[in-house]
Amino acid sequence: MNILGIETSCDETGIAIYNEQQGIVAQALYSQIELHAEYGGVVPELASRDHIRKTALLTDQVLQQSGLSSREIDAVAFTQGPGLIGALLVGATFGRSLAYSWGCPAVAVHHMEGHLLAPLLEDDKPDFPFVALLVSGGHSMLVDVKALGDYTILGESIDDAAGEAFDKTAKLMGLGYPGGPRLAKLAEQGRPGVHRFPRPMTDRPGLDFSFSGLKTFAANTLRSCDGSEQALADIAHAFQDAVIDTLMIKCRRALEQTGYQRLVVAGGVSANQQLRSGLAQLMKKRRGKVFYPRPEFCTDNGAMIAYAGYCRFKNGDRETLSINARPRWPL
Ligand code: KG4
Ligand code: ZN
């Protein structure tokens, strides 16, 4: 069985084919980063137009790479939401039409379920149940994953997502777009203990996050610093420490609350090295285990949509002939 997956929810066009026996057999990813960089963030209309340019091209590429013909594709999965409405509509229209013309079913995939299931593409994959920490540019959430499709949200961000806070703070610091990885790199040069940023919402029970205050804290600290490279690095360091520490405190609580020993971390921020080493230590102490997707599947990609689509297809899910996008779609 072969499932073609299409991801177009934000600024990455990702297409991949998942084969039931062999796993991901072909994939292509096109990032629009350069297109949006000069605007300092994703421009939704430009994103939609660029997805239109790339979806058919990349689909041809992955079919060629896989050596499969369109007749051998059993279903077409596409990201139906959440995300930018125009960008989603490109994937939904393309995916739905492709399935129609190939005479196979279409399957709608939730973008965050794609992230959540991405670690299952690895050889060393987690069994159910597990706690999932999903941290991307659009979302921060902790999920109790009992089984495929059985998800309870334990907590989520009430304002900025973790990646968004990284990006916005990086922008304030003049690090450009996308700022998250750049801020993380600069933080390596920062000296510990120069600033102490708050750990939002850790002084009360609960698993929700709030990161927008950290950005304001960074803005205020920036105003009173000398603007040198070292001063910026010290701020980056303190900011990153606060975000990572907060995420770790909430992960520990979620594990205590559920009694689970397995933690899955996915979404763009899961590429952060400090988060990874902190969680490795935490799980070692708890005699549990943390699972990640391989680095290229941490950020948006077609492979996670092909795989989540495969799981949904096996589950009997099928899309109707109408074309729907769901920019705000709860998990
Ligand atoms: O999952 P993703 O590719 O897209 C969304 O669905 O949002 O996540 C992108 C986010 C961006 O905010 C980016 O700055 C952040 O992940 N990110 C990082 C790192 N790498 C990517 N944040 C902190 N440290 C990193 N190393
Ligand atoms: Zn994502």
Side-chain angles (χ1 to χ4, degrees):
M1 184 192 292
N2 299 299
I3 311 292
L4 181 98
I6 301 168
E7 158 62 28
T8 65
S9 67
C10 190
D11 60 346
E12 254 106 27
T13 317
I15 312 274
I17 298 173
Y18 177 80
N19 172 277
E20 194 169 28
Q21 273 83 43
Q22 299 162 53
I24 296 296
V25 290
Q27 56 164 321
L29 185 71
Y30 173 78
S31 170
Q32 304 177 351
I33 280 178
E34 277 177 28
L35 174 73
H36 301 291
E38 67 172 296
Y39 304 99
V42 179
V43 182
E45 188 47 36
L46 294 182
S48 320
R49 289 184 211 172
D50 217 25
H51 285 307
I52 293 173
R53 288 185 204 105
K54 293 296 181 319
T55 36
L57 207 73
L58 297 190
T59 302
D60 274 345
Q61 262 180 36
V62 295
L63 277 175
Q64 269 182 25
Q65 237 183 67
S66 68
L68 296 166
S69 81
S70 58
R71 279 186 304 281
E72 292 168 284
I73 301 295
D74 296 277
V76 175
F78 61 89
T79 304
Q80 194 173 49
L84 302 170
I85 179 70
L88 288 168
L89 273 171
V90 175
T93 309
F94 179 72
R96 189 67 201 83
S97 310
L98 203 59
Y100 182 73
S101 67
W102 289 352
C104 67
V107 183
V109 171
H110 192 293
H111 180 80
M112 297 313 287
E113 186 176 43
H115 278 304
L116 191 155
L117 297 177
L120 303 186
L121 283 167
E122 303 307 313
D123 291 336
D124 182 19
K125 57 174 176 252
D127 290 324
F128 296 111
F130 53 79
V131 167
L133 171 70
L134 304 180
V135 270
S136 70
H139 294 87
S140 295
M141 53 172 83
L142 275 160
V143 191
D144 174 353
V145 180
K146 293 198 180 67
L148 180 77
D150 187 351
Y151 313 133
T152 308
I153 294 177
L154 301 170
E156 57 194 325
S157 179
I158 58 166
D159 42 53
D160 290 353
E164 188 179 2
F166 263 94
D167 293 339
K168 286 180 172 170
T169 304
K171 196 170 174 181
L172 282 174
M173 297 173 73
L175 299 179
Y177 166 85
R182 292 182 192 174
L183 192 154
K185 184 106 200 58
L186 181 63
E188 288 169 16
Q189 260 71 82
R191 294 164 298 180
V194 177
H195 305 287
R196 165 97 189 163
F197 279 41
R199 274 58 174 158
M201 296 181 76
T202 54
D203 55 351
R204 65 193 95 161
L207 294 168
D208 284 340
F209 306 101
S210 164
F211 291 114
S212 71
L214 285 179
K215 175 193 61 197
T216 314
F217 203 92
N220 292 337
T221 316
L222 262 173
R223 237 172 267 130
S224 55
C225 84
D226 63 11
S228 66
E229 180 79 10
Q230 185 60 56
L232 290 183
D234 291 341
I235 293 171
H237 188 97
F239 170 84
Q240 176 170 261
D241 254 11
V243 176
I244 303 306
D245 216 20
T246 305
L247 291 173
M248 285 184 30
I249 292 168
K250 300 283 170 151
C251 280
R252 191 170 57 227
R253 279 189 200 167
L255 291 162
E256 274 160 14
Q257 191 174 311
T258 55
Y260 298 166
Q261 291 288 74
R262 287 180 288 268
L263 176 69
V264 156
V265 190
V269 184
S270 68
N272 185 282
Q273 280 310 323
Q274 197 186 327
L275 177 65
R276 286 183 174 231
S277 53
L279 289 175
Q281 266 175 26
L282 172 72
M283 294 316 279
K284 197 170 166 204
K285 228 185 274 169
R286 300 185 62 83
R287 298 201 180 148
K289 195 165 172 192
V290 57
F291 299 85
Y292 298 96
R294 72 194 78 165
E296 79 242 51
F297 294 166
C298 281
T299 45
D300 291 351
N301 64 84
M304 68 183 195
I305 303 306
Y307 180 65
Y310 159 77
C311 297
R312 287 280 155 196
F313 182 68
K314 286 275 273 191
N315 200 42
D317 291 11
R318 305 285 184 273
E319 236 343 67
T320 61
L321 270 178
S322 58
I323 292 166
N324 282 321
R326 304 172 74 177
R328 292 175 187 279
W329 182 9
L331 182 66

